[in-house]
């Protein structure tokens, strides 16, 4: 099988600060009791309504959208007469009050580039006006748009690697970035074809990871596609790597994926799936990583992402930064695999 492959160009997720406004409207007779205002460190919350008015405490082994790592009272910095914070202010509040709480909760082993981001459950504008100033700090898995993804198990015990299951496609967002999971029939940046589990041990340099992933991902792609000629489809195989700080906290998984040959430094969207319809059933996580997410609802407030401002890595080199790499502009290498 002739298949094109090249080094990693584009990561999947951003470990971000995400802020959500919790609670529905206040009643003049009786305030709705909301679990989001009662949860303590170690408890997990789930909800369906965008205003979190149906938030409930659930067993962390079950699907949930927020794991509480602590609480913070910001009355000192924001007295009763203080105006309701805008998006930038909420991000600053989250960074100042919840980043360290979450790191401490994880005993210092929070992957800064992993699937978990630091989040806050904030009082809505009505509660803010009444003087309520307590936040719930926590960890959550979010898509690049800020839309919450289901999480299973306590973050303390889970692999933090930012990976998706084989068969998941991720969209191409604005500014040459990778977006949320999306149906493969729609335009997308990458189709995930497999997950590589690196062996335990000392950190493997990126160049060595690159060499290992190029070999493993070529073989995985051959099996996934049934030996399809990717070059003829103007597609190529690429992959992710793990940064040293991620490796240090135990993140060892990385995705193999297929994308369109980039145009210069720009990712190119493509449609459809290259999966062999007659192939063996896919091996996915249990519970599986999500294949789609709902759009972020306006009533929860705009998602707040921490932007590092770190430039993409050099062309053709794998990266594990929070931002997608610029794609390699070098000609794809052609290899033959027989399986």
């Amino acid at each position: 099988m002739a298949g094109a492959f090249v080094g990693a160009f584009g990561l999947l997720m951003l470990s971000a600060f995400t802020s959500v406004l919790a609670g529905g409207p206040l009643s003049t007779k009786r305030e709705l009791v909301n679990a989001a205002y009662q949860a303590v460190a170690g408890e997990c919350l789930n909800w369906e309504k965008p205003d979190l008015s149906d938030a409930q405490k659930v067993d962390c082994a079950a699907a949930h959208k927020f794991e509480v790592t602590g609480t913070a009272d910001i009355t000192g910095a924001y007295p009763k007469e203080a105006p309701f914070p805008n998006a930038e202010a909420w991000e600053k509040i989250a960074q100042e009050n919840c980043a360290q709480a979450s790191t401490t909760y994880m005993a210092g082993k929070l992957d800064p580039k992993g699937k978990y981001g630091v989040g806050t459950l904030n009082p809505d504008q009505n509660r803010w006006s009444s003087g309520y100033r307590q936040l719930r700090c926590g960890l959550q898995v979010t898509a690049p748009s800020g839309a919450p993804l289901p999480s299973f198990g306590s973050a303390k015990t889970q692999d933090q690697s930012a990976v998706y299951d084989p068969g998941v496609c991720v969209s191409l967002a604005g500014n040459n970035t990778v977006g949320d999971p999306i149906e493969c029939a729609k335009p997308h940046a990458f189709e995930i074809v497999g997950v590589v589990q690196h062996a335990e041990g000392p950190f493997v340099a990126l160049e060595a990871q690159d060499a290992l992933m190029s070999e493993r991902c070529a073989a995985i792609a051959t099996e996934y596609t049934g030996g399809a000629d990717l070059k003829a489809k103007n597609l190529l195989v690429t992959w992710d790597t793990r940064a040293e700080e991620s490796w240090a906290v135990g993140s060892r998984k990385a995705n193999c994926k297929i994308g369109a040959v980039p145009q210069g430094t720009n990712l190119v969207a493509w449609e459809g799936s290259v999966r062999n319809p007659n192939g063996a059933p896919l091996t996915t996580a249990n519970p599986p990583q999500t294949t789609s997410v709902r759009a972020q609802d306006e009533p929860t407030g705009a998602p707040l992402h921490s932007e590092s401002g770190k430039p993409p890595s050099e062309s053709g080199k794998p990266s594990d930064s929070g931002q997608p790499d610029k794609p390699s502009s070098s000609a794809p290498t052609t290899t033959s695999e027989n399986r």
Side-chain angles (χ1 to χ4, degrees), residues 214-227:
S214 68
E215 180 179 354
R216 294 284 298 277
C217 291
I220 288 172
T222 298
E223 182 175 354
Y224 184 92
T225 65

Side-chain angles (χ1 to χ4, degrees), residues 11 70 157 188 231 271:
L11 297 176
T157 62
H188 55 273
K231 187 175 181 180
E271 298 177 12

Side-chain angles (χ1 to χ4, degrees), residues 100-179:
Q100 185 56 53
S102 295
T103 300
T104 300
Y105 178 81
M106 295 291 285
K109 295 185 177 181
L110 177 60
D111 186 347
K113 303 176 186 299
K115 67 180 180 181
Y116 291 103
V118 177
T120 60
L121 295 182
N122 307 323
D124 58 18
Q125 193 157 4
N126 287 335
R127 282 182 171 82
W128 182 274
S129 297
S130 72
Y132 190 92
R133 295 292 186 272
Q134 196 170 77
L135 316 176
R136 257 60 186 176
C137 302
L139 294 171
Q140 56 189 156
V141 179
T142 58
S145 69
L149 302 180
S151 183
F152 298 85
S154 172
K156 289 183 174 181
T157 62
Q158 300 303 301
D159 186 294
Q160 298 180 51
S161 304
V163 294
Y164 288 121
D165 275 339
V168 173
C169 289
V170 289
S171 64
L172 178 58
N175 298 319
N176 200 37
T177 61
V178 178

Side-chain angles (χ1 to χ4, degrees), residues 166-242:
V168 173
C169 289
V170 289
S171 64
L172 178 58
N175 298 319
N176 200 37
T177 61
V178 178
D180 290 2
I182 193 173
E183 295 177 14
C184 292
K186 297 180 179 179
H188 55 273
F190 297 109
E191 180 172 357
I192 308 303
V193 299
V195 178
V196 172
Q197 172 76 58
H198 290 289
E200 295 299 321
F203 175 65
V204 176
L206 295 182
E207 293 78 6
Q209 286 188 50
D210 191 38
L212 183 148
M213 293 295 289
S214 68
E215 180 179 354
R216 294 284 298 277
C217 291
I220 288 172
T222 298
E223 182 175 354
Y224 184 92
T225 65
D229 185 349
L230 297 179
K231 187 175 181 180
K233 299 176 182 290
N234 204 37
L235 301 173
L236 48 75
V237 180
T238 183
W239 52 85
D240 294 335
T241 58
R242 295 279 75 91

